[in-house]
Amino acid sequence: MQTSEKHPSSAGVHMYHQPVQGIYQMLQSNVCRDNSSQGTSVCFETCKEQYYTLESCPPTTGLMDCDSPSYASISSNRTPFSPQPSHSCYSDHHQSSSDNTYGSPISGLSSVDDGNELKHKLRELEISLMGPDESGIVDSSGCCINSGSLHGASSRLSEYNWDQIVENIPQYDLKEVLKLCARAVSDDDIPTARGWMDHVLGKMVSVGGDPIQRLGAYLLEGLRARLESTGNLIYRSLKCEQPTGKELMSYMHILYQICPYWKFAYISANAIIEEAMRDESRIHIIDFQIAQGTQWHLLIQALARRPGGPPFLRVTGVDDSQSIHARGGGLEIVGKRLSDFASSCNVPFEFQAAAISGCEVVRGNIEIRPGEALAVNFPYVLHHMPDESVSTENHRDRLLRLVKSLSPRVVTLVEQESNTNTSPFLHRFVETLDYYAAMFESIDVASSRDDKKRISAEQHCVARDIVNMIACEGVERVERHELFRKWSSRLSMAGFQRCPLSTSVMTATQNLLDQFHQNYRLQHTDGALYLGWINRPLATSSAWR
């Protein structure tokens, strides 16, 4: 995407100390509950640690050969799991869990309420963490006012006995401390926010720890970056440069292999398109996230096996600067690889490059030919398009209307099941914490705790998205996820109707998940496939026409 090149590098952390080992059980309550009846609730039923900081973690090199088949299977350097404080009509709230693991079913999705109960619970933890001489009167804004000589916000830091808090770190719930710090940031209580960061959180997080410690390290970096600056300045404040070319693709390959998120997008979309094009002799696919183009290898193989011979296939690949950065070259690389692969399968093939951000695509960038059945693919890409809360141009809805005007036979949409688009900062932080806690747990079961390659992959392929969601606002925030019901509303307003998913689509996707950990769950609800980790929906796949 046009703004993709502005992603912050996530590898630059200012200071992380060795984490304190212990059980964080100080407050095990549900911080947020949602009593709203809006939308559909989706519920999925059912060592010795070596620590590194972001700055000390050794680089990973030589993981794989650029020319190997596995190298070519990577989508791009942008990962979905990697998958504005404005209040538009699309703002949404849903359920959140504050547990460190996702082992017990919940009702509804992750989200936040109107903030009152959240502040109440956070205040309870604040009071429990304050020293015996620091108690005071809670005012109407939830701030504790000492009966002594406190004078305004600049003196709030004196409310906390940081020495005593540090002594009791092993008793604290890391999630709750992160939320306390985020609330201080949200309230512009800079002294208190820096107190939590410097005295407490820096000692509780680690990129080599358990899932919540690793996630906490990246959330802490996002909070630090948010305090230091906004917009473009954030990217200059983060220290480490992004990896390039072969190194970055190696990181992506690690996550591609141990997690099903990109494969879920590829397999489900391919099955939908293959079924929709069963009787077509000429097929045109517009891929709005072409990346390496390897999604289409399986489809080309399937078309080659058609009784009566394969159809003609044309692929238009929409690209962005981040994909170029990951590949180490332009779309000619993708076109050459796909053409060679199609030729080896005896499938008539043509590739057309659209080296342009999806936000900039207009009718003239896409060639539509008579007699071709059109399929459009949106794999984890629409959430990067700014909507009405960012720009009056509203590229998110504009692009959907443009695609509808092309009269496609089918449109495939795969997106993260998360609500971070128009949520206010504190709500967005809680949602990000809940969502990525589940995702980091899913990564953890597939790799040893001290796997340096996995640590590097998380730093370079996931952390930058987290930092972007926490630290950035306005046009600089490109990670703007919405729930499936919001996407459904947008697609319906653009004139689309949902296509039912066949048994073959669900079977193909389930066969994929059978290759991964049993805690991954697949559910078919409201015409969409939900991929989840135990009880937390993480991604959805759907078809439209």
Side-chain angles (χ1 to χ4, degrees):
M1 304 308 93
Q2 183 180 13
T3 51
S4 297
E5 62 187 7
K6 299 178 182 178
H7 246 312
S9 169
S10 62
V13 160
H14 303 76
M15 181 184 298
Y16 290 133
H17 302 286
Q18 289 288 83
V20 176
Q21 299 184 34
I23 301 175
Y24 306 112
Q25 296 178 334
M26 186 169 189
L27 187 63
Q28 296 292 340
S29 61
N30 287 330
V31 175
C32 310
R33 296 188 182 275
D34 180 23
N35 297 322
S36 171
S37 60
Q38 297 180 1
T40 301
S41 295
V42 177
C43 181
F44 293 88
E45 305 290 346
T46 48
C47 91
K48 180 179 179 181
E49 300 178 355
Q50 184 175 4
Y51 296 101
Y52 304 94
T53 66
L54 287 179
E55 293 175 342
S56 66
C57 181
T60 303
T61 58
L63 298 184
M64 57 193 297
D65 184 357
C66 285
D67 296 326
S68 68
S70 56
Y71 171 85
S73 68
I74 309 303
S75 62
S76 74
N77 74 320
R78 179 178 293 285
T79 176
F81 299 96
S82 17
Q84 282 99 341
S86 59
H87 302 274
S88 78
C89 61
Y90 295 101
S91 183
D92 178 71
H93 306 316
H94 52 287
Q95 172 105 3
S96 176
S97 168
S98 63
D99 294 336
N100 286 335
T101 61
Y102 291 75
S104 58
I106 59 173
S107 174
L109 304 176
S110 168
S111 181
V112 292
D113 60 4
D114 61 2
N116 293 331
E117 186 172 354
L118 172 62
K119 289 191 176 183
H120 175 70
K121 291 296 184 181
L122 293 177
R123 186 57 193 155
E124 287 181 359
L125 182 58
E126 282 184 303
I127 293 174
S128 69
L129 295 178
M130 289 167 58
D133 296 329
E134 300 297 334
S135 60
I137 301 172
V138 178
D139 67 9
S140 59
S141 65
C143 296
C144 180
I145 303 176
N146 196 310
S147 56
S149 58
L150 292 180
H151 299 289
S154 62
S155 300
R156 290 178 188 173
L157 190 63
S158 63
E159 295 179 15
Y160 297 93
N161 185 333
W162 295 110
D163 290 338
Q164 181 177 347
I165 290 174
V166 169
E167 290 177 2
N168 293 299
I169 280 179
Q171 304 176 43
Y172 303 154
D173 185 314
L174 178 53
K175 282 189 175 182
E176 304 308 324
V177 177
L178 284 165
K179 292 171 188 175
L180 280 174
C181 185
R183 195 190 92 175
V185 173
S186 178
D187 292 343
D188 293 324
D189 185 355
I190 307 305
T192 298
R194 293 204 177 278
W196 288 117
M197 292 177 187
D198 298 337
H199 294 284
V200 183
L201 285 173
K203 297 178 174 64
M204 295 180 72
V205 303
S206 168
V207 298
D210 61 30
I212 189 60
Q213 288 175 321
R214 303 199 307 269
L215 173 59
Y218 305 130
L219 289 170
L220 176 55
E221 176 63 6
L223 290 171
R224 288 189 188 278
R226 187 178 182 89
L227 281 188
E228 288 183 2
S229 57
T230 59
N232 284 328
L233 294 178
I234 291 176
Y235 306 108
R236 292 196 290 271
S237 75
L238 298 177
K239 298 178 182 178
C240 298
E241 295 181 357
Q242 295 184 28
T244 59
K246 178 180 177 180
E247 182 185 23
L248 179 57
M249 298 309 296
S250 299
Y251 296 143
M252 283 300 305
H253 177 73
I254 295 171
L255 295 184
Y256 181 85
Q257 291 297 98
I258 67 177
C259 301
Y261 303 117
W262 272 108
K263 292 179 180 179
F264 169 74
Y266 289 178
I267 296 297
S268 61
N270 282 356
I272 291 168
I273 293 173
E274 181 184 1
E275 186 168 276
M277 302 296 184
R278 183 185 296 116
D279 300 322
E280 299 298 333
S281 60
R282 299 184 67 83
I283 300 170
H284 179 201
I285 298 173
I286 303 175
D287 188 349
F288 274 87
Q289 184 66 64
I290 190 65
Q292 305 304 303
T294 51
Q295 173 175 353
W296 309 117
H297 285 187
L298 290 177
L299 181 62
I300 290 172
Q301 290 175 329
L303 295 177
R305 295 190 294 266
R306 260 196 195 179
F312 170 82
L313 175 63
R314 182 163 65 100
V315 172
T316 296
V318 179
D319 204 25
D320 62 22
S321 59
Q322 286 293 81
S323 294
I324 296 173
H325 175 76
R327 285 192 304 267
L331 281 174
E332 67 277 0
I333 297 175
V334 178
K336 180 65 165 58
R337 287 176 178 170
L338 283 177
S339 296
D340 290 346
F341 187 83
S343 178
S344 70
C345 297
N346 295 316
V347 173
F349 180 83
E350 181 182 339
F351 181 82
Q352 290 194 320
I356 188 173
S357 164
C359 292
E360 299 174 334
V361 170
V362 295
R363 180 64 177 81
N365 300 128
I366 306 295
E367 181 185 356
I368 301 299
R369 299 175 185 172
E372 290 183 341
L374 176 63
V376 178
N377 186 48
F378 287 116
Y380 298 121
V381 66
L382 272 182
H383 72 271
H384 295 142
M385 309 295 177
D387 69 349
E388 69 280 0
S389 66
V390 183
S391 168
T392 56
E393 294 177 295
N394 189 1
H395 292 293
R396 189 169 298 196
D397 290 341
R398 180 194 65 81
L399 188 58
L400 289 175
R401 291 192 299 269
L402 170 62
V403 169
K404 181 60 179 176
S405 72
L406 303 178
S407 300
R409 180 65 51 84
V410 67
V411 173
T412 57
L413 174 69
V414 181
E415 278 293 345
Q416 289 95 317
E417 183 65 3
S418 182
N419 175 36
T420 61
N421 183 20
T422 59
S423 299
F425 166 71
L426 184 57
H427 291 184
R428 187 168 77 243
F429 182 91
V430 173
E431 171 72 350
T432 301
L433 169 60
D434 182 76
Y435 183 90
Y436 281 93
M439 192 271 286
F440 270 62
E441 285 182 11
S442 74
I443 295 176
D444 197 62
V445 300
S447 178
S448 63
R449 186 64 54 81
D450 60 351
D451 188 336
K452 297 177 182 178
K453 295 178 181 178
R454 190 264 306 150
I455 293 172
S456 294
E458 288 178 345
Q459 290 178 18
H460 295 298
C461 302
V462 182
R464 67 170 173 271
D465 292 353
I466 294 172
V467 171
N468 182 262
M469 280 183 281
I470 299 306
C472 299
E473 298 294 348
V475 296
E476 302 303 332
R477 180 157 65 87
V478 297
E479 297 298 325
R480 295 178 168 275
H481 308 121
E482 292 186 315
L483 301 176
F484 177 68
R485 65 175 175 265
K486 295 299 184 182
W487 291 116
S488 296
S489 176
R490 290 188 185 277
L491 284 154
S492 296
M493 287 189 295
F496 288 97
Q497 293 182 337
R498 197 177 309 167
C499 299
L501 301 179
S502 69
T503 302
S504 63
V505 173
M506 291 182 282
T507 300
T509 311
Q510 185 60 60
N511 289 341
L512 165 68
L513 290 191
D514 289 343
Q515 305 171 29
F516 291 89
H517 195 277
Q518 62 183 3
N519 282 347
Y520 286 106
R521 309 291 168 79
L522 189 67
Q523 184 167 323
H524 184 211
T525 301
D526 289 341
L529 285 179
Y530 284 76
L531 171 64
W533 175 255
I534 305 183
N535 60 5
R536 183 35 159 116
L538 295 177
T540 62
S541 179
S542 57
W544 303 81
R545 60 171 174 247

